Amino acid sequence: MIGLLLLTLAALASATCDRASLKSATDRYIIAQSTGQLSWLAPALSPNTTYWENLVQVPLPLQNNTTSAAILSRSLRIDHHRTAFDTVQCATFTELLSLSPSSPYQIATQLRLDPSTTKIQKIDSIVTTTGDLLFSPSHALHYILQQPDWNAFLTTTASRTPRASLQAAADAYYDFFVNKSVVVPWDRPCTRVDGGFLDTPDMDCNTDIPDGVTVRTVDRRYVIDEDAGVVQVTSNFGVIGPDSHEFWVVGGKIRGIRSATVCPDKKNCGLERPAALGEDIGY
Ligand SMILES: *[C@@H]1O[C@H](CO)[C@@H](O)[C@H](O)[C@H]1NC(C)=O
Ligand SMILES: *[C@@H]1O[C@H](CO)[C@@H](O)[C@H](O)[C@H]1NC(C)=O
Ligand SMILES: *[C@@H]1O[C@H](CO)[C@@H](O)[C@H](O)[C@H]1NC(C)=O
Ligand SMILES: *[C@@H]1O[C@H](CO)[C@@H](O)[C@H](O)[C@H]1NC(C)=O
């Protein structure tokens, strides 16, 4: 028993990656997506890397020598990207925006690496485009540029949040949908941008969260970057489905939320699309 525990602890202790190897993998991922040439990513893959899009496994042509429906095998113009690094879980989260009028995309990708080889084990992407929930990459980019840099290092003890509390903050947000007694560590001001829509004109993230939701968000997969105060979750979101939510947490409290949610009907999940999303947001 104790032996097993020690082995487990040893495995946990060795399961750390440095930022440099994580960054090298994400650099290759971004280049592959922008060129549509998987060869750029090949050196970072292992023979059994799996690739998932919107919770469904899709073959990569590099591995199975077939033409692929994978978005990753298409060249996309990338207008914005940023990455959060989880050195403990050996994982990354990258947000990509393509504002191309002919093929606009918002993509939220987790990479999970094998700590012993630093090869990618799993590529797990949420891919949203026209018709997905509140989709507007230009509006999303506008708000990203207005907000503080979510990748800035939080250097003071007071501003940093321990990993467990980062994960708990994200969990509290999801659980609040089904149970309004759950205490969410809200901060004010807090901005929530769902797709490209700013849902929080009053800078209160506890705005417009529906009542009466009965379906819990499940299969939560976390990327936690303590240095930046970021926790991102890819999941099967309530009644809707494939989803990414990223939370920015400062001093234990949620300051910002950004999400990308797939709508199976490609009609804004049956909800009315706010007129504001069609307006010119400015730059
Ligand atoms: C295949 O993946 C598993 C984990 O999913 C990993 O432990 C193993 O090393 C991989 N094998 C190769 C040949 O990369
Ligand atoms: C490649 O094809 C084989 C056989 O059809 C399948 O078992 C395997 O899962 C595929 N690999 C990927 C990454 O899709
Ligand atoms: C992959 O496909 C190409 C053409 O589709 C073929 O020429 C090549 O031999 C295939 N490679 C393997 C390893 O099956
Ligand atoms: C709702 O959340 C509260 C506070 O965390 C908890 O005490 C209660 O058991 C929860 N109710 C249900 C039905 O899970």
Side-chain angles (χ1 to χ4, degrees):
M1 214 31 204
I2 295 212
L4 191 62
L5 183 66
L6 287 177
L7 274 178
T8 310
L9 286 176
L12 283 176
S14 68
T16 55
C17 291
D18 56 21
R19 263 180 119 83
S21 33
L22 293 174
K23 181 167 184 309
S24 150
T26 51
D27 284 350
R28 286 189 173 277
Y29 163 73
I30 293 164
I31 294 165
Q33 183 63 84
S34 109
T35 58
Q37 293 168 354
L38 279 169
S39 315
W40 290 106
L41 189 58
L45 301 179
S46 85
N48 60 358
T49 306
T50 60
Y51 174 77
W52 299 73
E53 245 173 49
N54 298 339
L55 315 183
V56 175
Q57 190 175 357
V58 178
L60 285 179
L62 187 75
Q63 292 170 302
N64 271 2
N65 202 23
T66 53
T67 51
S68 168
I71 193 86
L72 187 52
S73 61
R74 285 179 46 196
S75 163
L76 289 191
R77 192 185 89 197
I78 292 170
D79 297 302
H80 164 81
H81 66 82
R82 59 171 277 285
T83 297
F85 300 96
D86 186 334
T87 51
V88 174
Q89 292 193 90
C90 211
T92 63
F93 165 68
T94 300
E95 128 192 294
L96 300 176
L97 289 175
S98 178
L99 276 60
S100 157
S102 58
S103 66
Y105 281 99
Q106 179 173 358
I107 298 177
T109 295
Q110 293 186 346
L111 302 182
R112 294 199 182 267
L113 278 63
D114 179 337
S116 57
T117 60
T118 68
K119 300 287 187 195
I120 299 170
Q121 287 180 331
K122 185 175 187 189
I123 305 171
D124 194 1
S125 288
I126 298 297
V127 179
T128 60
T129 187
T130 309
D132 287 318
L133 193 62
L134 301 166
F135 178 77
S136 171
S138 59
H139 283 229
L141 182 55
H142 170 79
Y143 294 120
I144 287 169
L145 295 175
Q146 277 192 342
Q147 288 172 5
D149 176 8
W150 287 16
N151 272 85
F153 271 49
L154 299 171
T155 47
T156 67
T157 322
S159 66
R160 289 174 70 94
T161 309
R163 291 182 68 81
S165 305
L166 285 167
Q167 181 170 328
D171 281 335
Y173 180 77
Y174 290 118
D175 293 340
F176 187 66
F177 278 75
V178 293
N179 179 354
K180 292 291 184 286
S181 306
V182 169
V183 178
V184 183
W186 308 113
D187 205 354
R188 287 285 286 270
C190 175
T191 51
R192 188 173 92 240
V193 179
D194 291 317
F197 187 65
L198 178 69
D199 255 328
T200 53
D202 300 336
M203 300 295 166
D204 179 357
C205 282
N206 186 8
T207 302
D208 270 351
I209 296 183
D211 278 321
V213 176
T214 53
V215 181
R216 279 188 88 238
T217 290
V218 294
D219 294 338
R220 303 174 190 178
R221 305 187 288 285
Y222 308 87
V223 168
I224 300 174
D225 185 335
E226 249 184 285
D227 289 328
V230 161
V231 48
Q232 182 273 341
V233 187
T234 297
S235 75
N236 201 336
F237 182 51
V239 286
I240 304 183
D243 174 86
S244 164
H245 269 74
E246 184 178 13
F247 302 82
W248 185 48
V249 181
V250 181
K253 303 207 159 177
I254 300 175
R255 284 260 176 107
I257 304 174
R258 292 207 278 264
S259 70
T261 309
V262 176
C263 287
D265 63 358
K266 289 289 183 268
K267 288 181 183 162
N268 201 46
C269 297
L271 303 168
E272 194 179 339
R273 192 174 150 87
L277 278 179
E279 288 165 10
D280 185 351
I281 190 78
Y283 294 94

PDB file of all heavy atoms in Angstrom, residues 46-51 57-61 63-66, ligand 2:
ATOM      1  N   SER A  46       3.534  11.645 -31.243  1.00  0.00           N
ATOM      2  CA  SER A  46       3.981  10.269 -31.058  1.00  0.00           C
ATOM      3  C   SER A  46       3.098   9.404 -31.962  1.00  0.00           C
ATOM      4  O   SER A  46       2.087   9.875 -32.469  1.00  0.00           O
ATOM      5  CB  SER A  46       3.853   9.857 -29.590  1.00  0.00           C
ATOM      6  OG  SER A  46       2.548   9.406 -29.323  1.00  0.00           O
ATOM      7  N   PRO A  47       3.479   8.149 -32.175  1.00  0.00           N
ATOM      8  CA  PRO A  47       2.669   7.324 -33.086  1.00  0.00           C
ATOM      9  C   PRO A  47       1.215   7.178 -32.633  1.00  0.00           C
ATOM     10  O   PRO A  47       0.352   6.908 -33.452  1.00  0.00           O
ATOM     11  CB  PRO A  47       3.373   5.959 -33.049  1.00  0.00           C
ATOM     12  CG  PRO A  47       4.750   6.249 -32.565  1.00  0.00           C
ATOM     13  CD  PRO A  47       4.648   7.434 -31.671  1.00  0.00           C
ATOM     14  N   ASN A  48       0.976   7.339 -31.358  1.00  0.00           N
ATOM     15  CA  ASN A  48      -0.412   7.165 -30.914  1.00  0.00           C
ATOM     16  C   ASN A  48      -1.060   8.450 -30.411  1.00  0.00           C
ATOM     17  O   ASN A  48      -2.005   8.411 -29.645  1.00  0.00           O
ATOM     18  CB  ASN A  48      -0.520   6.033 -29.882  1.00  0.00           C
ATOM     19  CG  ASN A  48       0.320   6.308 -28.652  1.00  0.00           C
ATOM     20  OD1 ASN A  48       1.009   7.321 -28.585  1.00  0.00           O
ATOM     21  ND2 ASN A  48       0.249   5.418 -27.684  1.00  0.00           N
ATOM     22  N   THR A  49      -0.583   9.595 -30.890  1.00  0.00           N
ATOM     23  CA  THR A  49      -1.255  10.854 -30.566  1.00  0.00           C
ATOM     24  C   THR A  49      -2.696  10.792 -31.065  1.00  0.00           C
ATOM     25  O   THR A  49      -2.940  10.358 -32.197  1.00  0.00           O
ATOM     26  CB  THR A  49      -0.568  12.030 -31.289  1.00  0.00           C
ATOM     27  OG1 THR A  49       0.819  12.021 -30.993  1.00  0.00           O
ATOM     28  CG2 THR A  49      -1.190  13.361 -30.865  1.00  0.00           C
ATOM     29  N   THR A  50      -3.634  11.238 -30.237  1.00  0.00           N
ATOM     30  CA  THR A  50      -5.015  11.301 -30.724  1.00  0.00           C
ATOM     31  C   THR A  50      -5.424  12.752 -30.904  1.00  0.00           C
ATOM     32  O   THR A  50      -4.950  13.648 -30.199  1.00  0.00           O
ATOM     33  CB  THR A  50      -6.009  10.598 -29.781  1.00  0.00           C
ATOM     34  OG1 THR A  50      -5.952  11.224 -28.497  1.00  0.00           O
ATOM     35  CG2 THR A  50      -5.693   9.122 -29.663  1.00  0.00           C
ATOM     36  N   TYR A  51      -6.290  12.975 -31.874  1.00  0.00           N
ATOM     37  CA  TYR A  51      -6.759  14.322 -32.219  1.00  0.00           C
ATOM     38  C   TYR A  51      -8.280  14.350 -32.102  1.00  0.00           C
ATOM     39  O   TYR A  51      -8.974  13.502 -32.678  1.00  0.00           O
ATOM     40  CB  TYR A  51      -6.310  14.657 -33.651  1.00  0.00           C
ATOM     41  CG  TYR A  51      -6.854  15.963 -34.167  1.00  0.00           C
ATOM     42  CD1 TYR A  51      -6.302  17.176 -33.754  1.00  0.00           C
ATOM     43  CD2 TYR A  51      -7.922  15.994 -35.066  1.00  0.00           C
ATOM     44  CE1 TYR A  51      -6.811  18.380 -34.218  1.00  0.00           C
ATOM     45  CE2 TYR A  51      -8.432  17.201 -35.539  1.00  0.00           C
ATOM     46  CZ  TYR A  51      -7.866  18.384 -35.121  1.00  0.00           C
ATOM     47  OH  TYR A  51      -8.360  19.576 -35.575  1.00  0.00           O
ATOM     48  N   GLN A  57     -13.290  12.069 -31.978  1.00  0.00           N
ATOM     49  CA  GLN A  57     -11.952  11.782 -32.488  1.00  0.00           C
ATOM     50  C   GLN A  57     -11.958  11.799 -34.022  1.00  0.00           C
ATOM     51  O   GLN A  57     -12.845  11.227 -34.658  1.00  0.00           O
ATOM     52  CB  GLN A  57     -11.442  10.428 -31.988  1.00  0.00           C
ATOM     53  CG  GLN A  57      -9.969  10.259 -32.330  1.00  0.00           C
ATOM     54  CD  GLN A  57      -9.345   8.990 -31.764  1.00  0.00           C
ATOM     55  OE1 GLN A  57     -10.020   8.233 -31.052  1.00  0.00           O
ATOM     56  NE2 GLN A  57      -8.085   8.769 -32.077  1.00  0.00           N
ATOM     57  N   VAL A  58     -10.966  12.494 -34.570  1.00  0.00           N
ATOM     58  CA  VAL A  58     -10.850  12.648 -36.022  1.00  0.00           C
ATOM     59  C   VAL A  58      -9.444  12.180 -36.395  1.00  0.00           C
ATOM     60  O   VAL A  58      -8.482  12.546 -35.726  1.00  0.00           O
ATOM     61  CB  VAL A  58     -11.038  14.141 -36.419  1.00  0.00           C
ATOM     62  CG1 VAL A  58     -10.883  14.333 -37.920  1.00  0.00           C
ATOM     63  CG2 VAL A  58     -12.370  14.681 -35.936  1.00  0.00           C
ATOM     64  N   PRO A  59      -9.299  11.354 -37.441  1.00  0.00           N
ATOM     65  CA  PRO A  59      -7.943  10.932 -37.813  1.00  0.00           C
ATOM     66  C   PRO A  59      -7.150  12.102 -38.387  1.00  0.00           C
ATOM     67  O   PRO A  59      -7.719  12.966 -39.056  1.00  0.00           O
ATOM     68  CB  PRO A  59      -8.164   9.866 -38.883  1.00  0.00           C
ATOM     69  CG  PRO A  59      -9.620   9.734 -39.085  1.00  0.00           C
ATOM     70  CD  PRO A  59     -10.326  10.792 -38.321  1.00  0.00           C
ATOM     71  N   LEU A  60      -5.871  12.089 -38.109  1.00  0.00           N
ATOM     72  CA  LEU A  60      -4.998  13.058 -38.739  1.00  0.00           C
ATOM     73  C   LEU A  60      -4.391  12.392 -39.969  1.00  0.00           C
ATOM     74  O   LEU A  60      -3.932  11.256 -39.891  1.00  0.00           O
ATOM     75  CB  LEU A  60      -3.879  13.464 -37.777  1.00  0.00           C
ATOM     76  CG  LEU A  60      -4.271  14.404 -36.642  1.00  0.00           C
ATOM     77  CD1 LEU A  60      -3.070  14.682 -35.762  1.00  0.00           C
ATOM     78  CD2 LEU A  60      -4.845  15.702 -37.184  1.00  0.00           C
ATOM     79  N   PRO A  61      -4.366  13.057 -41.112  1.00  0.00           N
ATOM     80  CA  PRO A  61      -3.875  12.420 -42.338  1.00  0.00           C
ATOM     81  C   PRO A  61      -2.423  11.986 -42.211  1.00  0.00           C
ATOM     82  O   PRO A  61      -2.022  10.976 -42.790  1.00  0.00           O
ATOM     83  CB  PRO A  61      -4.032  13.515 -43.397  1.00  0.00           C
ATOM     84  CG  PRO A  61      -4.316  14.771 -42.664  1.00  0.00           C
ATOM     85  CD  PRO A  61      -4.860  14.412 -41.339  1.00  0.00           C
ATOM     86  N   GLN A  63      -1.041  10.563 -39.778  1.00  0.00           N
ATOM     87  CA  GLN A  63      -0.926   9.262 -39.134  1.00  0.00           C
ATOM     88  C   GLN A  63      -1.547   8.163 -39.967  1.00  0.00           C
ATOM     89  O   GLN A  63      -1.049   7.053 -40.011  1.00  0.00           O
ATOM     90  CB  GLN A  63      -1.623   9.292 -37.771  1.00  0.00           C
ATOM     91  CG  GLN A  63      -0.912  10.181 -36.783  1.00  0.00           C
ATOM     92  CD  GLN A  63      -1.761  10.352 -35.552  1.00  0.00           C
ATOM     93  OE1 GLN A  63      -2.886  10.818 -35.627  1.00  0.00           O
ATOM     94  NE2 GLN A  63      -1.226   9.992 -34.408  1.00  0.00           N
ATOM     95  N   ASN A  64      -2.664   8.453 -40.638  1.00  0.00           N
ATOM     96  CA  ASN A  64      -3.368   7.375 -41.326  1.00  0.00           C
ATOM     97  C   ASN A  64      -3.324   7.527 -42.834  1.00  0.00           C
ATOM     98  O   ASN A  64      -3.946   6.756 -43.538  1.00  0.00           O
ATOM     99  CB  ASN A  64      -4.813   7.295 -40.828  1.00  0.00           C
ATOM    100  CG  ASN A  64      -4.904   6.383 -39.622  1.00  0.00           C
ATOM    101  OD1 ASN A  64      -3.892   5.877 -39.170  1.00  0.00           O
ATOM    102  ND2 ASN A  64      -6.101   6.160 -39.144  1.00  0.00           N
ATOM    103  N   ASN A  65      -2.610   8.517 -43.287  1.00  0.00           N
ATOM    104  CA  ASN A  65      -2.386   8.670 -44.721  1.00  0.00           C
ATOM    105  C   ASN A  65      -3.699   8.750 -45.499  1.00  0.00           C
ATOM    106  O   ASN A  65      -3.845   8.173 -46.554  1.00  0.00           O
ATOM    107  CB  ASN A  65      -1.529   7.507 -45.244  1.00  0.00           C
ATOM    108  CG  ASN A  65      -0.841   7.888 -46.560  1.00  0.00           C
ATOM    109  OD1 ASN A  65      -0.659   9.074 -46.821  1.00  0.00           O
ATOM    110  ND2 ASN A  65      -0.478   6.911 -47.358  1.00  0.00           N
ATOM    111  N   THR A  66      -4.620   9.475 -44.916  1.00  0.00           N
ATOM    112  CA  THR A  66      -5.897   9.663 -45.605  1.00  0.00           C
ATOM    113  C   THR A  66      -6.135  11.164 -45.705  1.00  0.00           C
ATOM    114  O   THR A  66      -5.482  11.939 -45.009  1.00  0.00           O
ATOM    115  CB  THR A  66      -7.059   9.074 -44.791  1.00  0.00           C
ATOM    116  OG1 THR A  66      -6.990   9.641 -43.472  1.00  0.00           O
ATOM    117  CG2 THR A  66      -6.996   7.575 -44.721  1.00  0.00           C
TER     118      THR A  66
HETATM  119  C1  LIG B   2      -5.757   5.056 -37.863  1.00  0.00           C
HETATM  120  O1  LIG B   2      -6.444   3.971 -38.449  1.00  0.00           O
HETATM  121  C2  LIG B   2      -6.545   2.843 -37.601  1.00  0.00           C
HETATM  122  C3  LIG B   2      -7.170   1.713 -38.403  1.00  0.00           C
HETATM  123  O2  LIG B   2      -8.207   2.181 -39.216  1.00  0.00           O
HETATM  124  C4  LIG B   2      -7.366   3.216 -36.360  1.00  0.00           C
HETATM  125  O3  LIG B   2      -7.475   2.118 -35.493  1.00  0.00           O
HETATM  126  C5  LIG B   2      -6.644   4.347 -35.636  1.00  0.00           C
HETATM  127  O4  LIG B   2      -7.443   4.770 -34.535  1.00  0.00           O
HETATM  128  C6  LIG B   2      -6.445   5.506 -36.579  1.00  0.00           C
HETATM  129  N1  LIG B   2      -5.641   6.513 -35.897  1.00  0.00           N
HETATM  130  C7  LIG B   2      -6.082   7.759 -35.714  1.00  0.00           C
HETATM  131  C8  LIG B   2      -5.186   8.683 -35.007  1.00  0.00           C
HETATM  132  O5  LIG B   2      -7.147   8.141 -36.121  1.00  0.00           O
END
